């Protein structure tokens, strides 16, 4: 038996034996506990809404056909109340012996919690005020052989909930709602991007050259070509090839794979939206980020004023843009920048108990202050701009100060949600940077990129000035559904295999 099994006990094993016997008895009697189809024409939430004006005890002649999972049964002899759950909510079924054929009434007596059934009946409100369907027919759609858990709750059950997400969704409707919101969020982002004139495209997941980010990859083997491929760590370089080809505005929402650790905001398999737009820079990417987040918030939350883990967050208005130097200066109470002498930056780091290395220049020392002291304090959406070249080696330099890059990160509630650049389009400069990455890999950096000769060739044909952005879809879902962990917005998070005895 699995060490992390589904709370199976001798009692539940006996229950499963009883349910299997009911299944077999139904088959032996010529019935089918798993018919091929059923066509409901109504759902619980819509029935509740459409008949909200019914008075207690009022019947209708309106016939509806509903289907769902049995969540509660209360048998009172010649009447039986069943709570039916579909993907919109729950509706009460008010069975009366005189309304059903004898065979259907007998079938009702074999129904267990968790069974999926379909009924046809009229809508009414009971004397006690409950909107209900009074069935005149009953069909078994799927006999559940395993009893539902009483309730998944608490940290001790987190692993079980993630492993058996299907059961988690059944007994915890708020979990199902989170995944529905995630789906609506992505649809809203697509509508926004399409409305801005972007083309949604697809790029290879299997790539023979590692590029687009610094990360440790997953490796697989392509049998037909007899060569190793990487699962992509980014979509960047292929999307920018499409910009070279003339598409001008492209985006892709898809999975990325990085062979890295897991924590509250990181998962080795994750979803991003990368977008690239010709003839713009990071200012155009700021507009895109604001627009996409607000469109998603409108769809999921119905407001730009949200609360994340108890902290009010304002997504409305024009979001703040601030340089890293400004933010660090505000936090330490002293004006600091890449112009500040290295000795003073070292002192400021040391005064606040931060470690630094002799090889670090002003930019890296400034970033260390930001990374350790500032980022976690940012609540409302903020575009953190002007990253030093030392921490953004592949970013395009600012024309006004080549020690800084034309880059921003979007930070909300202390976490990064997007990363954007004015893209490098000088093929000679790109050649040099790829060569540096190859040297770094040879020196032991297993996160360094490889030399992508075809991408350099593409740039040699000419890529227009371009702004690019990557947005973390999973983190956005966490924010808009108020979930503390990335695993809570992934239907099937990665876990170690169950240990069997």
């Amino acid at each position: 038996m699995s060490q992390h099994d589904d709370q199976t006990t001798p009692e539940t094993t006996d229950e499963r034996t009883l349910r299997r016997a009911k299944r077999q008895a139904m088959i032996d009697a010529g019935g089918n506990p798993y018919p091929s189809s059923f066509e409901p024409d109504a759902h619980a939430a819509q029935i509740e809404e459409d008949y909200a004006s019914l008075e207690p005890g009022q019947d209708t002649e309106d016939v509806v056909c509903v289907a769902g999972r049995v969540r509660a049964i209360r048998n009172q002899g010649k009447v039986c109340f069943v709570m039916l759950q579909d993907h919109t909510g729950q509706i009460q079924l008010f069975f009366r012996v005189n309304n059903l054929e004898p065979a259907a009434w007998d079938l009702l007596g074999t129904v267990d919690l968790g069974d999926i059934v379909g009924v046809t009946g009229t809508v009414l409100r009971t004397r006690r005020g409950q909107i209900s369907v009074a069935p005149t027919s009953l069909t078994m759609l799927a006999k559940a052989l395993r009893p539902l858990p009483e309730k998944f709750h608490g940290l001790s059950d987190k692993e079980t909930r993630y492993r058996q997400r299907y059961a988690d969704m059944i007994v915890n409707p708020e979990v199902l709602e989170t995944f529905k919101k995630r789906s609506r969020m992505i649809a809203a982002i697509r509508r926004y991007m399409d409305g801005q004139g972007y083309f949604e495209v697809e790029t290879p997941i299997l790539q023979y050259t590692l590029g687009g980010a610094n990360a440790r990859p997953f490796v697989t083997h392509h049998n037909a070509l007899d060569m190793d491929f990487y699962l992509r760590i980014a979509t960047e370089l292929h999307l920018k090839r499409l910009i070279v080809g003339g598409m001008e505005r492209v985006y892709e929402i898809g999975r990325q794979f990085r062979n890295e650790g897991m924590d509250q905001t990181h998962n080795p398999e994750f979803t991003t939206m990368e977008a690239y737009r010709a003839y713009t820079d990071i200012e155009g990417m700021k507009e895109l980020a604001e627009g996409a987040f607000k469109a998603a918030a409108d769809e999921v939350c119905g407001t730009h004023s949200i609360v994340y883990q108890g902290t009010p967050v304002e997504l409305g208005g024009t979001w703040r843009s601030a340089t890293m130097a400004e933010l660090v200066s505000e936090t330490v109470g002293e004006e600091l920048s890449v112009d500040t002498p290295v000795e003073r930056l070292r002192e400021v780091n040391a005064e606040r108990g931060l470690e630094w290395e002799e090889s670090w220049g002003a930019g890296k020392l400034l970033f260390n202050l930001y990374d350790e002291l500032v980022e976690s304090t940012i609540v409302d959406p903020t575009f953190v701009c002007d990253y030093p070249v030392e921490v953004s080696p592949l970013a395009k330099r600012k024309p006004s100060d080549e020690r800084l890059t034309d880059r921003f990160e979007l930070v909300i509630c202390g976490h990064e949600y997007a990363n954007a650049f004015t893209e490098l389009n000088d093929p000679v400069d790109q050649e040099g940077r790829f060569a540096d990455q190859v040297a770094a890999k040879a020196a032991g950096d297993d996160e360094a990129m490889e030399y992508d000769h075809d991408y350099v060739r593409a740039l040699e044909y000419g890529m227009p000035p371009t702004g690019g952005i990557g947005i973390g879809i999973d983190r956005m879902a966490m924010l808009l559904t108020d979930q503390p962990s990335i695993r809570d917005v992934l239907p099937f998070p990665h876990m170690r295999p169950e240990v069997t005895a």
Side-chain angles (χ1 to χ4, degrees):
M1 182 181 296
S2 165
Q3 179 177 318
H4 303 297
D5 204 7
D6 48 5
Q7 303 176 346
T8 298
T9 65
E11 290 78 12
T12 58
T13 302
D14 289 344
E15 174 71 14
R16 289 166 66 189
T17 300
L18 291 172
R19 290 176 179 233
R20 283 177 175 268
K22 290 181 180 181
R23 167 191 173 277
Q24 190 59 50
M26 187 174 181
I27 294 172
D28 292 344
N32 182 1
Y34 305 100
S36 298
S37 66
F38 187 83
E39 295 185 8
D41 58 19
H43 291 95
Q46 193 63 49
I47 294 172
E48 291 279 357
E49 181 179 338
D50 290 347
Y51 295 91
S53 61
L54 286 182
E55 297 293 331
Q58 184 178 353
D59 292 340
T60 75
E61 295 182 358
D62 299 342
V63 176
V64 295
C65 184
V66 295
R69 190 179 298 275
V70 174
R71 292 306 313 277
I73 303 173
R74 183 160 49 93
N75 199 322
Q76 297 182 348
K78 294 187 178 182
V79 298
C80 181
F81 297 93
V82 171
M83 191 59 69
L84 191 77
Q85 176 179 300
D86 64 19
H87 78 92
T88 69
Q90 295 188 353
I91 187 73
Q92 179 172 273
L93 306 182
F94 179 21
F95 287 94
R96 291 176 283 203
V97 65
N98 293 334
N99 284 7
L100 288 175
E101 294 291 333
W105 185 258
D106 291 342
L107 175 61
L108 178 61
T110 70
V111 170
D112 293 304
L113 295 181
D115 288 353
I116 298 174
V117 301
V119 302
T120 299
T122 56
V123 180
L124 56 81
R125 188 187 289 276
T126 66
R127 293 191 190 90
R128 293 189 176 183
Q130 181 74 49
I131 294 290
S132 304
V133 174
T136 55
S137 71
L138 170 67
T139 304
M140 177 66 71
L141 300 178
K143 182 65 184 175
L145 302 184
R146 185 178 294 264
L148 293 173
E150 291 294 327
K151 177 75 173 177
F152 287 172
H153 58 83
L155 291 176
S156 63
D157 286 324
K158 275 286 188 180
E159 183 169 329
T160 306
R161 291 178 59 186
Y162 293 148
R163 285 188 188 283
Q164 301 175 40
R165 184 64 90 184
Y166 37 85
D168 187 23
M169 294 166 66
I170 294 169
V171 300
N172 293 311
E174 66 276 9
V175 175
L176 173 60
E177 187 61 26
T178 292
F179 297 134
K180 289 164 67 175
K181 286 180 177 179
R182 178 189 172 110
S183 179
R184 288 164 44 206
M185 180 193 84
I186 294 173
I189 294 170
R190 281 196 165 98
R191 287 194 298 271
Y192 173 79
M193 296 299 292
D194 295 345
Q196 296 295 309
Y198 284 80
F199 291 97
E200 183 175 12
V201 298
E202 294 173 307
T203 60
I205 289 176
L206 295 178
Q207 300 183 355
Y208 57 83
T209 302
L210 186 67
N214 291 96
R216 185 181 294 111
F218 289 94
V219 182
T220 189
H221 188 76
H222 194 304
N223 288 339
L225 296 177
D226 192 22
M227 60 184 293
D228 286 345
F229 275 71
Y230 303 107
L231 299 186
R232 69 185 180 196
I233 59 175
T235 53
E236 176 176 347
L237 300 185
H238 283 89
L239 290 174
K240 288 195 287 191
R241 284 174 168 90
L242 296 177
I243 295 291
V244 171
M247 291 194 76
E248 294 195 3
R249 297 188 186 199
V250 295
Y251 77 98
E252 181 172 9
I253 297 175
R255 286 297 220 205
Q256 317 289 357
F257 308 86
R258 299 183 183 180
N259 202 350
E260 301 170 343
M262 298 184 289
D263 59 27
Q264 291 289 91
T265 58
H266 293 86
N267 194 67
E269 180 181 358
F270 59 100
T271 302
T272 67
M273 180 182 76
E274 284 198 47
Y276 294 85
R277 174 182 163 191
Y279 309 113
T280 191
D281 55 11
I282 60 170
E283 295 305 314
M285 296 301 100
K286 289 177 184 178
E287 295 174 5
L288 186 157
E290 271 197 42
F293 268 82
K294 290 176 180 177
D298 285 338
E299 175 63 33
V300 174
C301 307
T303 178
H304 294 163
S305 300
I306 67 172
V307 176
Y308 181 68
Q309 297 297 291
T311 300
V313 182
E314 182 53 59
L315 300 178
T318 300
W319 294 356
R320 182 187 184 189
S321 290
T323 67
M324 184 178 292
E326 287 177 55
L327 294 167
V328 171
S329 299
E330 291 173 4
T331 298
V332 303
E334 173 185 349
E335 186 171 341
L336 300 174
S337 70
V338 290
D339 291 319
T340 303
V342 168
E343 293 75 15
R344 180 54 191 153
L345 290 170
R346 289 173 176 171
E347 290 173 358
V348 176
N349 274 271
E351 288 167 1
R352 284 154 179 81
L354 305 181
E355 296 182 0
W356 51 271
E357 298 179 12
E358 289 285 345
S359 61
W360 291 1
K364 185 62 181 291
L365 289 163
L366 188 71
F367 174 78
N368 198 47
L369 290 168
Y370 166 76
D371 192 44
E372 296 291 338
L373 303 178
V374 181
E375 185 176 74
S376 63
T377 69
I378 297 172
V379 176
D380 289 336
T382 302
F383 295 114
V384 181
C385 308
D386 293 4
Y387 275 66
V389 167
E390 291 98 313
V391 296
S392 304
L394 298 183
K396 194 167 188 175
R397 298 173 189 263
K398 288 181 68 69
S400 58
D401 189 338
E402 293 207 343
R403 296 170 298 175
L404 303 174
T405 59
D406 226 5
R407 171 191 179 191
F408 73 72
E409 286 189 351
L410 171 62
V411 179
I412 308 171
C413 286
H415 297 292
E416 174 204 342
Y417 284 80
N419 195 11
F421 300 85
T422 298
E423 298 298 330
L424 179 64
N425 60 345
D426 180 342
V428 176
D429 192 351
Q430 183 67 73
E431 277 183 321
R433 298 194 194 200
F434 276 151
D436 291 341
Q437 289 287 299
V438 170
K441 185 175 284 291
D445 184 353
D446 56 4
E447 294 189 355
M449 292 187 235
E450 297 178 347
Y451 199 114
D452 192 330
H453 293 275
D454 181 70
Y455 179 66
V456 172
R457 178 169 56 191
L459 290 185
E460 289 178 339
Y461 282 101
M463 184 174 82
T466 297
I469 192 170
I471 296 176
I473 295 297
D474 306 309
R475 292 187 186 178
M476 184 192 287
M478 289 170 60
L479 179 72
L480 298 183
T481 62
D482 194 21
Q483 297 298 325
S485 169
I486 193 170
R487 289 186 166 198
D488 294 318
V489 296
L490 297 175
F492 305 105
H494 291 294
M495 305 189 72
R496 293 186 185 277
E498 292 179 281
V499 179
T500 56

